[in-house]
Amino acid sequence: MTDLAVGKRSAREAPTTRTTPRLSRRSRERLAAGLFLAPDVLGLALFVGVPMVVCIVLGFFQVDGFGGYTFIGLDNYRRMFADPLFLGSLQTTLLYLVVLIPGLFVVSLALALLIRQKFPLVGLFRGAFFAPNVISLVVIGLIWKFMLTDQTGFAVRVLGFFRISSPSWLGSPHLALWMVVAVTIWFAMGYYMLIFLAGLQDIPREYYEVATIDGASLWQQFRHITWPLLKPTSFFILLTSTVSMLTGGIDLIYVMTSGGPANSTSLIIYYIYEQAFVYGEYGYASAIGAFIVAILLAWSVGLFALTRGGRFNDARD
């Protein structure tokens, strides 16, 4: 009887252990993914999301740069579409992108196909093609301005040595924009070349071996194997290059041409810079920036819809 009482008392005094519920494997994976993504999401929210919201809000105000804010509604947008300089910059930017994006796409793909081959010093060529991408755009602009300046430029003097007359590369309204396009392709091609190369290396070599045995030419292999399997990579490059070239490159324009001559190289991003930091029209510049963001969103959504997220019209997907 005594042993039974002692046993009951010991059972009552024994601490109760609680089992902590364990997360499932999928929950742990989601938690880990969230923790890894948190720094990027926080950075995007602080340095992209917040400025974007501020830009959209400022587009409805007249800002004098000295702390004065006057709500003017849609007046900045009405002024935008009545501004001949803005419309001219928009037209110049459209022409710039229509020439630049296909040219950059073709050159980058051609270089990726070239350096994919096995030949002596292929690593050296890869490094040489990518090298301009790691140089500051300001330095690139200064180098090319030194080479293309009238009378004293290096390229002008080389052509003069062979008694070839050189046009005004950066002083002619008909040539300056094409020089900017050429320089942009030169420094950006290495980055997109590596992206194409990554896509090419994901294509199994067996496909080409079978095609070669069947007697397919190089063009047929590219058309029926390389190009279809590169569609997701092509979609990514079309999307990112358009956004990058539309919103970047202001330092190159500033150093090489400063938007001239006769506003022939005044891209929309440079026009926004002028309105904000040269003339102090922060509200007007913000309205133009919000308009460009809307264009980029429409372009992105349209590209996703037309290509089905990079799958294009491949019915097997």
Side-chain angles (χ1 to χ4, degrees):
M1 190 69 181
T2 304
D3 295 339
L4 181 60
V6 172
K8 291 182 178 180
R9 187 167 58 251
S10 300
R12 287 196 302 266
E13 292 177 355
T16 57
T17 58
R18 295 181 179 178
T19 58
T20 304
R22 296 186 61 185
L23 295 175
S24 64
R25 180 177 179 180
R26 177 169 296 183
S27 298
R28 292 197 302 270
E29 290 177 351
R30 289 178 178 176
L31 179 60
L35 292 175
F36 279 113
L37 290 174
D40 278 346
V41 172
L42 183 61
L44 285 173
L46 288 177
F47 300 109
V48 177
V50 173
M52 188 179 297
V53 173
V54 172
C55 174
I56 294 173
V57 172
L58 285 181
F60 299 100
F61 288 83
Q62 182 180 5
V63 186
D64 58 14
F66 297 97
Y69 296 84
T70 305
F71 181 77
I72 57 175
L74 297 175
D75 285 356
N76 282 327
Y77 293 93
R78 297 190 187 99
R79 173 186 172 184
M80 183 193 311
F81 292 105
D83 184 357
L85 292 178
F86 166 75
L87 297 177
S89 295
L90 195 62
Q91 182 178 0
T92 301
T93 304
L94 181 62
L95 178 62
Y96 170 81
L97 292 176
V98 166
V99 176
L100 174 62
I101 300 303
L104 182 60
F105 187 94
V106 172
V107 171
S108 302
L109 178 57
L111 291 178
L113 291 171
L114 173 64
I115 64 174
R116 191 194 183 200
Q117 309 301 319
K118 294 181 180 180
F119 56 89
L121 301 178
V122 62
L124 178 63
F125 282 96
R126 291 181 181 182
F129 291 143
F130 185 75
N133 196 258
V134 302
I135 303 174
S136 168
L137 275 180
V138 174
V139 175
I140 289 176
L142 289 173
I143 292 173
W144 281 97
K145 186 175 182 178
F146 167 75
M147 294 181 63
L148 300 174
T149 301
D150 295 347
Q151 306 299 326
T152 59
F154 177 76
V156 176
R157 294 196 174 193
V158 170
L159 292 176
F161 178 79
F162 293 100
R163 300 186 182 277
I164 301 175
S165 60
S166 175
S168 179
W169 300 107
L170 300 178
S172 171
H174 304 291
L175 293 177
L177 183 64
W178 309 124
M179 291 298 100
V180 172
V181 169
V183 173
T184 304
I185 292 176
W186 176 78
F187 86 81
M189 64 184 184
Y191 172 74
Y192 296 105
M193 173 196 72
L194 289 184
I195 298 177
F196 269 127
L197 182 61
L200 288 171
Q201 289 177 340
D202 282 340
I203 301 175
R205 290 279 185 179
E206 291 79 4
Y207 293 172
Y208 297 100
E209 294 173 359
V210 172
T212 302
I213 293 173
D214 289 341
S217 63
L218 292 177
W219 167 248
Q220 289 173 330
Q221 292 180 25
F222 174 81
R223 179 181 177 184
H224 297 290
I225 299 176
T226 305
W227 178 244
L229 296 178
L230 270 184
K231 285 181 178 180
T233 306
S234 301
F235 163 78
F236 175 80
I237 288 179
L238 283 176
L239 182 61
T240 57
S241 62
T242 302
V243 175
S244 176
M245 298 306 159
L246 181 58
T247 58
I250 183 174
D251 30 12
L252 184 66
I253 294 291
Y254 183 85
V255 172
M256 288 186 65
T257 63
S258 297
N263 292 323
S264 61
T265 59
S266 180
L267 303 180
I268 197 67
I269 190 66
Y270 185 80
Y271 188 70
I272 293 174
Y273 160 78
E274 278 189 324
Q275 294 300 314
F277 301 107
V278 177
Y279 304 116
E281 295 282 353
Y282 296 103
Y284 184 45
S286 297
I288 299 175
F291 176 72
I292 297 304
V293 169
I295 290 179
L296 289 176
L297 288 176
W299 162 256
S300 301
V301 172
L303 192 61
F304 265 96
L306 289 175
T307 65
R308 296 172 54 217
R311 293 187 295 271
F312 291 78
N313 59 351
D314 192 351
R316 292 173 298 177
D317 293 340

